[in-house]
């Protein structure tokens, strides 16, 4: 490491990583680690990682810097750019793993439903027609709210904002619409 030129900040870090590219150097790595590990952890926290995950990702990124230093090219990027790219990619990989849970093929919830009996299909069709008929009898302001809530899957607060009405009005209209549905379907109205 004696062949380093006097430098500070990012230029020094790039020099240290270049030294590690030539041959593993624990002293150079220690200085890189002290400089980048806290910054990587902070970066991970800003990306939304929990404290323990941020720490783990920062450690993993620095371990990868140690293992992959021979791939560093100072003509293409500085040390910071290269190291943060490694960290960002690790964060993306961790996020993907987190979002894709392992699927158990024997899970009963993944099994298709048994086909409906002809009687059940007939009953289902009759109920669907009754619901459509009840929906057609709703006043337009109630029908609009039911449509936005159930067919467009919008929360009540978003419906209120979209229609420019109070949230309580949305909830009241929804309740009135359900009362009409129950009455049309022959269910007791509370």
């Amino acid at each position: 490491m004696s062949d380093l030129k006097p430098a500070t900040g990012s230029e020094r870090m790039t020099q240290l990583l270049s030294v590690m590219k030539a041959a593993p150097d624990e002293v150079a790595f220690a200085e890189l680690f002290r400089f980048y590990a806290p910054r990587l952890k902070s970066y991970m926290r800003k990306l939304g990682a929990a404290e323990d995950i941020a720490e783990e990702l920062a450690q993993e990124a620095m371990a990868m810097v140690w293992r992959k230093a021979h791939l560093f090219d100072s003509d293409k990027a500085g040390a910071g750019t290269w190291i943060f790219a490694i960290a960002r990619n690790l964060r993306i990989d961790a996020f993907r793993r987190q979002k894709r849970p392992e699927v158990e093929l024997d899970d009963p919830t993944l099994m298709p439903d048994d086909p409906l009996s002809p009687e059940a299909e007939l009953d289902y069709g009759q109920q669907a027609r009754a619901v459509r008929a009840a929906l057609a009898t709703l006043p337009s302001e109630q029908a609009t709210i039911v449509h936005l809530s159930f067919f467009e899957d919008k929360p009540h607060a978003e419906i209120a904002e979209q229609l420019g009405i109070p949230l309580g009005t949305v909830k009241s209209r929804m309740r009135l619409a359900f009362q009409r549905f129950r009455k049309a379907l022959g269910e007791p109205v509370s």
Side-chain angles (χ1 to χ4, degrees):
M1 214 171 86
S2 60
D3 58 336
L4 289 181
K5 300 172 196 159
T8 58
S10 63
E11 189 177 296
R12 173 140 179 93
M13 296 303 129
T14 299
Q15 286 180 0
L16 290 169
L17 197 49
S18 294
V19 166
M20 289 180 57
K21 176 181 178 154
D25 187 311
E26 292 179 12
V27 175
F29 180 72
E31 190 172 338
L32 280 167
F33 189 91
R34 280 191 302 276
F35 186 82
Y36 283 110
R39 287 166 174 79
L40 291 175
K41 182 178 175 185
S42 176
Y43 174 65
M44 294 300 168
R45 294 284 292 140
K46 286 179 186 171
L47 291 177
E51 182 77 19
D52 58 333
I53 301 296
E55 177 75 29
E56 185 179 319
L57 288 170
Q59 296 282 335
E60 191 176 338
M62 290 309 296
M64 191 169 285
V65 167
W66 174 259
R67 290 190 309 272
K68 306 260 184 188
H70 65 281
L71 299 174
F72 175 67
D73 184 350
S74 62
D75 293 333
K76 292 183 179 177
T81 302
W82 192 73
I83 292 171
F84 275 90
I86 289 171
R88 181 181 56 83
N89 290 338
L90 287 171
R91 172 68 178 117
I92 290 168
D93 290 345
F95 183 75
R96 285 180 181 154
R97 283 191 305 270
Q98 182 182 20
K99 291 293 182 183
R100 292 186 189 162
E102 290 295 319
V103 176
E104 293 184 32
L105 298 177
D106 296 336
D107 186 346
T109 61
L110 298 177
M111 298 299 175
D113 293 335
D114 292 332
L116 293 175
S117 69
E119 296 83 19
E121 279 193 48
L122 180 63
D123 187 43
Y124 181 77
Q126 288 172 342
Q127 281 183 335
R129 280 190 293 283
V131 168
R132 281 194 296 276
L135 186 58
T137 66
L138 291 178
S140 65
E141 64 272 358
Q142 291 174 14
T144 299
I145 289 173
V146 168
H147 177 80
L148 291 172
S149 181
F150 290 97
F151 297 105
E152 294 187 24
D153 201 26
K154 292 188 177 187
H156 291 170
E158 190 176 323
I159 294 170
E161 186 178 321
Q162 180 179 336
L163 298 178
I165 59 176
L167 179 60
T169 302
V170 170
K171 291 180 179 185
S172 292
R173 289 179 182 172
M174 185 68 79
R175 184 177 39 77
L176 291 170
F178 276 108
Q179 286 176 346
R180 286 179 179 253
F181 277 134
R182 285 187 190 104
K183 185 176 180 183
L185 298 174
E187 296 179 6
V189 179
S190 54

